[in-house]
Amino acid sequence: MTSNLDIIVAGGGRVGFQTAEILANRGHDVTIIERDEGIVSEIADEWIATVIQGDATNPDIIEQAGIERADAIAALTGETGLNLAVCLAASELNPGIRTIVRIERAAGTAYTRFVDAVLFPERAGARVAANEIVGSDVQTLADVTGDLDIMLVRVAEGAPAAGKQLTEVRFPAGTLVVSDDDGHRIARPDTTLTPGNRYVVAVEPDVADEVMNLMRG
Amino acid sequence: MGGSQTRAPEAELGLLDATMIGMGAMIGAGIFVLTGLAAEIAGPAAILVFALNGVVTAFTGLSYAELAASIPKSGGGYAFVREIFDDLSSFIMGWMLWFAYMIAGALYALGFAPNFLELLHVYGIVPPPGQVGAVALPVIDAAVPLAFLLAFVAVLGLVALNAVSTAASGSVETIFTIIKVSILVVFVAFGLASPMFSSAEFQPLFPGGSGAAAILPAMGLTFIAFEGYDLITTVTEEVKNPRENIPKAIFLSLIVTVIVYLAVVTVAIATLGADGLADAGEAGIAAAATSFMPTGLPIIQNGGALIVFGAVFSTLTALNAVVIASSRVAFSMGREGQLLPSFGQLHHRYGTPFVAILASAVVMLGSVALPTQSAGNMSSLFFLLSFIIVNVAVIRLRRERPNMNRPYEMPFYPAPPLIGVALNLILAGVLVEYLIRTDPLALVLSAAWILLGGIAYFALNRLRAQPNRGPTDADTEMTPEAED
């Protein structure tokens, strides 16, 4: 119905916290499960997510995170086995939930029998590192910019901006719709945001929520 | 993408700003509009009424502080309850809070009208309505439509403003609040110095015959004056270090507000007397000011004009705040799928929650036809009821999520929320009983709103169930592991 999701992130360390922050900026409801008290209080300072302090493999803790209402759970701690256990427990408690596991080694695809998606942060990081080392002045889209998000957004049926031309829509400052309707041209003022089509959009994190509201409803 | 430069960058509000937002809502219109009405019911004991309301509301304030620090959502009370309760309970909470704000809007608009007339009168633009300073309009037929019209226009203007632009940042609110408080400080200072104050009579404390029980319905009526912390928690996202600053802002704003109320009400009763205050009704403070402020000043002519201006300014800014607050509640409900999705969407051209604002406006404009007292009663009743749910939410959250990180934990748990529930229940009960005797229309309208909510809830559920059916069937075909 609504496009904002209820998401549980297990593990509030580097990967978990960054993920939670991006999701919260886009207007999703995030709950973080974190064992370490020190990290818990750091996350609380940022005030982006509800935090449950405890071991994410404990079913009681997963339940406190609101598993029965959640749309997705991402197990993003540094331990592959623990992550897998969290996701298996989660899909036991809520069969419809989308599960994402962070893995340590590239042996990843085998896990997709049990979870919906796997994430190997080191590979993503390595790609960026390789780009940086080569140091070319022109790089492709992924992972480029500091805080900017460059996203592919599908316009939802019934969203406020659906079917409108760009000139008619007041996107917040810090937004740029890059691609045209068919993906072959740069967007023009008369570009129409056709429901069902995907557009390349660059946004600053502060306004991502508003942009999602306009394009996804 | 024209016009996008008009949006302000995300504000970083400090403790002062957050406190001022709360105070701005509480010191705003309530003090100007409700003092006269409280004096009418409770006599000089109106002072007690405001003090006790401050105490009652402090318990709910503790609950708000704990919830706001641990649940990082900027939706106010509704967002907290939504986090823990099932669909129906959170829907009812949102539905009631939405109504409370809309009716508060009507109340402030109705308070704006007589104060505005008083301001015009001070400058001699309109003839003196009755005695000097009083807006007890003698000719019902001619006067009431005028006030009604003014209230209507005020609502319409602010709604239009909010519908087409995202305004009202926290720092503007800080300036507004400082202006309001300064004006009240001037009022109190002149009041204390005036000869009328030294000969003040606070006897009999309670109005003839009714005794101490008279303060209970007056507490119910004026409870709305202390609802400001819900507004603080609607902007939490913009506040620096919220887990410390939000609880602090809630308590600071509450304490300062109670002190200001007590000072102002004491001066008003001492100078004008409870009866005079009651006669002046919504323009009570303004009338008191005109009676003792110096006259013959340059430009503003009459010292009272300053206070009357303060009243006009306060009612307008408070009206603006509740237009935003009410539409935010409806907007959050729309985003959560508890109202039609269009409530939770920004307008593609104006970037504002257009539908939520328009829907709130319809109810507000309709409610402007109510007597001020009914509006106050209904709004207070719905704030009392929704605060009960907030207190229950704290208890339930502690039980169901003991491991949740709580940067602020209230002292002496579980006493404060339990006392909060009990006191709010008592006041709500007294208010309902009072309404049965004096204002059955308000009660009927309140019940009708709840009933309408029930219908809307089930109609929406049915509506949601239908379009969902199609895609769900399609999904099962495509997903291999689906077995049922």
Side-chain angles (χ1 to χ4, degrees):
Chain A
M1 227 14 213
T2 48
S3 59
N4 63 327
L5 304 173
D6 207 326
I7 300 159
I8 301 172
V9 172
R14 287 178 300 126
V15 178
F17 178 74
Q18 303 262 338
T19 309
E21 192 173 33
I22 291 171
L23 290 169
N25 276 339
R26 289 189 195 162
H28 302 295
D29 291 336
V30 186
T31 304
I32 299 178
I33 304 175
E34 170 58 49
R35 199 166 35 186
D36 186 295
E37 203 168 330
I39 298 179
V40 164
S41 106
E42 278 172 35
I43 302 172
D45 276 338
E46 294 299 323
W47 210 73
I48 54 157
T50 312
V51 188
I52 309 286
Q53 194 192 335
D55 180 351
T57 53
N58 178 349
D60 183 40
I61 295 289
I62 303 185
E63 270 181 347
Q64 285 188 41
I67 188 77
E68 75 287 346
R69 276 220 308 241
D71 299 298
I73 183 164
L76 303 179
T77 73
E79 299 164 47
T80 308
L82 189 148
N83 289 342
L84 200 58
V86 169
C87 283
L88 291 178
S91 30
E92 192 72 24
L93 292 166
N94 176 357
I97 200 166
R98 180 175 166 79
T99 50
I100 297 93
V101 149
R102 172 185 167 189
I103 56 170
E104 284 293 285
R105 288 178 210 302
T109 48
Y111 292 116
T112 47
R113 290 169 56 196
F114 303 113
V115 296
D116 294 311
V118 289
L119 166 79
F120 185 29
E122 281 74 10
R123 174 176 290 161
R127 200 180 295 135
V128 181
N131 280 342
E132 291 296 336
I133 292 164
V134 175
S136 68
D137 293 330
V138 181
Q139 292 182 348
T140 45
L141 268 188
D143 312 311
V144 268
T145 39
D147 277 342
L148 278 187
D149 250 333
I150 298 180
M151 298 186 278
L152 208 50
V153 183
R154 192 188 298 279
V155 174
E157 196 77 50
K164 302 280 191 308
Q165 292 188 339
L166 279 187
T167 41
E168 293 177 274
V169 182
R170 185 163 133 199
F171 281 108
T175 320
L176 182 65
V177 177
V178 181
S179 68
D180 196 358
D181 211 358
D182 51 7
H184 296 303
R185 298 196 327 163
I186 296 295
R188 309 278 199 272
D190 63 347
T191 292
T192 305
L193 295 167
T194 314
N197 282 13
R198 298 200 293 177
Y199 296 80
V200 176
V201 184
V203 294
E204 290 167 15
D206 291 353
V207 297
D209 188 9
E210 268 178 82
V211 175
M212 289 302 130
N213 193 309
L214 288 167
M215 296 184 73
R216 304 281 307 156
Chain B
M1 283 192 283
S4 52
Q5 69 278 12
T6 52
R7 281 161 197 269
E10 201 164 311
E12 279 277 297
L13 309 177
L15 176 61
L16 176 73
D17 295 309
T19 308
M20 287 300 179
I21 286 171
M23 282 174 59
M26 295 192 272
I27 292 186
I31 196 152
F32 292 100
V33 181
L34 296 172
T35 310
L37 302 177
E40 193 179 340
I41 302 176
I47 303 168
L48 271 180
V49 166
F50 285 106
L52 289 175
N53 264 345
V55 173
V56 171
T57 204
F59 290 104
T60 311
L62 283 167
S63 294
Y64 262 91
E66 179 167 320
L67 290 172
S70 49
I71 301 177
K73 280 188 182 175
S74 274
Y78 169 71
F80 304 147
V81 171
R82 178 72 188 145
E83 177 92 6
I84 339 164
F85 282 100
D86 58 18
D87 277 355
L88 183 60
S89 315
S90 52
F91 174 83
I92 291 172
M93 169 77 192
W95 188 254
M96 293 198 305
L97 200 58
W98 186 30
F99 192 61
Y101 274 124
M102 288 190 288
I103 298 293
L107 172 70
Y108 297 154
L110 287 165
F112 160 77
N115 281 300
F116 188 65
L117 288 177
E118 171 81 8
L119 185 65
L120 293 181
H121 158 62
V122 168
Y123 283 104
I125 298 169
V126 297
Q131 311 152 304
V132 180
V135 190
L137 296 157
V139 195
I140 293 292
D141 312 65
V144 167
L146 182 57
F148 169 75
L149 203 67
L150 272 174
F152 197 84
V153 167
V155 171
L156 211 58
L158 286 175
V159 163
L161 190 72
N162 281 294
V164 300
S165 80
T166 45
S169 90
S171 29
V172 176
E173 188 69 28
T174 304
I175 298 166
F176 283 180
T177 306
I178 291 172
I179 294 174
K180 290 189 241 183
V181 175
S182 314
I183 289 176
L184 287 173
V185 167
V186 170
F187 173 83
V188 171
F190 274 99
L192 290 177
S194 88
M196 294 158 87
F197 187 79
S198 37
S199 61
E201 267 299 324
F202 291 99
Q203 299 295 333
L205 187 57
F206 301 105
S210 45
I215 66 171
L216 282 176
M219 280 176 72
L221 168 66
T222 58
F223 187 76
I224 182 199
F226 297 102
E227 100 306 76
Y229 39 75
D230 190 73
L231 271 183
I232 299 181
T233 60
T234 60
V235 297
T236 321
E237 244 162 53
E238 296 165 44
V239 177
K240 282 183 231 159
N241 193 4
R243 66 179 191 156
E244 273 186 23
N245 282 340
I246 293 297
K248 276 187 195 160
I250 288 175
F251 301 132
L252 272 178
S253 61
L254 201 51
I255 291 166
V256 177
T257 301
V258 169
I259 294 172
V260 170
Y261 264 90
L262 292 186
V264 170
V265 175
T266 307
V267 165
I269 289 179
T271 51
L272 203 60
D275 292 336
L277 209 52
D279 286 343
E282 299 90 337
I285 298 293
T290 341
S291 72
F292 65 73
M293 297 291 280
T295 50
L297 301 169
I299 305 171
I300 59 169
Q301 290 180 15
N302 182 332
L306 180 70
I307 310 299
V308 183
F309 167 76
V312 169
F313 180 75
S314 297
T315 43
L316 273 187
T317 50
L319 178 56
N320 188 48
V322 292
V323 167
I324 295 170
S326 63
S327 63
R328 278 210 196 190
V329 176
F331 179 67
S332 316
M333 290 181 75
R335 295 193 86 174
E336 296 285 337
Q338 294 212 300
L339 287 176
L340 288 175
S342 52
F343 279 79
Q345 293 182 343
L346 301 174
H347 192 273
H348 68 276
R349 169 131 265 173
Y350 308 121
T352 56
F354 198 72
V355 177
I357 291 177
L358 285 196
S360 310
V362 170
V363 177
M364 268 191 215
L365 288 173
S367 323
V368 168
L370 289 171
T372 311
Q373 196 152 351
S374 302
N377 282 325
M378 285 163 73
S379 187
S380 286
L381 179 62
F382 277 86
F383 273 117
L384 284 166
L385 294 176
S386 36
F387 284 178
I388 292 172
I389 302 182
V390 170
N391 281 311
V392 174
V394 169
I395 298 173
R396 199 160 152 185
L397 197 62
R398 286 251 193 167
R399 291 172 60 128
E400 287 186 2
R401 300 188 184 178
N403 295 80
M404 188 170 150
N405 182 49
R406 292 180 176 78
Y408 171 81
E409 291 199 0
M410 69 173 74
F412 308 114
Y413 177 86
L418 287 175
I419 298 172
V421 168
L423 291 178
N424 284 334
L425 263 179
I426 292 171
L427 277 188
V430 169
L431 192 54
V432 167
E433 190 272 337
Y434 177 76
L435 288 181
I436 291 174
R437 277 190 289 124
T438 61
D439 196 355
L441 175 71
L443 208 58
V444 168
L445 287 176
S446 304
W449 179 255
I450 299 270
L451 197 68
L452 188 67
I455 295 169
Y457 179 79
F458 287 108
L460 206 65
N461 264 359
R462 174 157 297 191
L463 192 77
R464 206 164 10 183
Q466 277 163 355
N468 268 4
R469 175 150 295 184
T472 318
D473 288 347
D475 275 353
T476 22
E477 281 164 34
M478 288 177 343
T479 333
E481 62 262 63
E483 282 165 8
D484 43 351

